[in-house]
Amino acid sequence: QKEVEQDPGPLSVPEGAIVSLNCTYSNSAFQYFMWYRQYSRKGPELLMYTYSSGNKEDGRFTAQVDKSSKYISLFIRDSQPSDSATYLCAMRTNSGGSNYKLTFGKGTLLTVNP
Amino acid sequence: GAGVSQSPSNKVTEKGKDVELRCDPISGHTALYWYRQSLGQGLEFLIYFQGNSAPDKSGLPSDRFSAERTGGSVSTLTIQRTQQEDSAVYLCASSSIWGGELFFGEGSRLTVL
């Protein structure tokens, strides 16, 4: 079992839809959780960064963490064609000598159709 | 520069040749990371630098891979005797502090024929 599992999709939705992206993980030492967006042939860029269980909202994006279930989600409201990209979850520990190292999911390819 | 700069953006090479990939991090960023992104795979950690030191080289796939960083700035990832399985996008990232937000470059796309 990989440390981080993410459904690669692809996911295709109409403009205006609510999108739900998810990752599960097996390492209970993961404490910091991130979502990155990667446009085609570009580097990943940080979208959301969370530490505690619960929800964090930033504009149309909401990140949700459930540490008891080892499950994280990213919700996109009122999705736009410009949201079409690959979304990668990433996480890291808070202790030990390797807490700089991010472990990534494989990414979910999202297409928002106008 | 304003962001992380990587070169070359694309590299096609023949099996058995050596390649060098360069990363110029954001000015003042002390931490530098190399990741590899293969088709259908997530980002795979390769190596981490704090200043010019590499405390963690555990992600390097084999002894054909090496990396260095000089002057606390530019880093070079070298792949010797390239193999077809080395074909991937090699991403560099930097951060201002240890454990801080990573800023990624656009990557160097390596194709080994």
Side-chain angles (χ1 to χ4, degrees), chain A residues 9-12 15 21-22 24 35-36 39 58 65 77 83 89 94 100 105 108 110-111:
Chain A
L11 185 61
S12 181
E15 183 175 353
L21 304 165
N22 312 293
T24 58
W35 285 96
Y36 282 81
Y39 291 115
D58 184 1
V65 174
R77 289 184 300 281
D83 295 328
C89 63
N94 188 35
Y100 52 85
T108 300
L110 171 67
T111 301

Side-chain angles (χ1 to χ4, degrees), chain A residues 15-75:
Chain A
E15 183 175 353
I18 296 174
V19 176
S20 172
L21 304 165
N22 312 293
C23 287
T24 58
Y25 61 96
S26 58
N27 186 352
S28 58
F30 287 139
Q31 295 293 320
Y32 293 91
F33 305 92
M34 287 138 273
W35 285 96
Y36 282 81
R37 178 175 61 195
Q38 186 177 24
Y39 291 115
S40 179
R41 295 188 172 264
K42 299 291 187 183
E45 56 177 337
L46 182 66
L47 263 184
M48 300 286 284
Y49 181 99
T50 59
Y51 172 69
S52 56
S53 284
N55 294 350
K56 180 178 181 180
E57 191 173 316
D58 184 1
R60 294 185 296 111
F61 299 90
T62 299
Q64 188 175 80
V65 174
D66 182 346
K67 290 185 180 179
S68 63
S69 300
K70 298 191 181 68
Y71 187 90
I72 68 170
S73 300
L74 177 71
F75 297 96

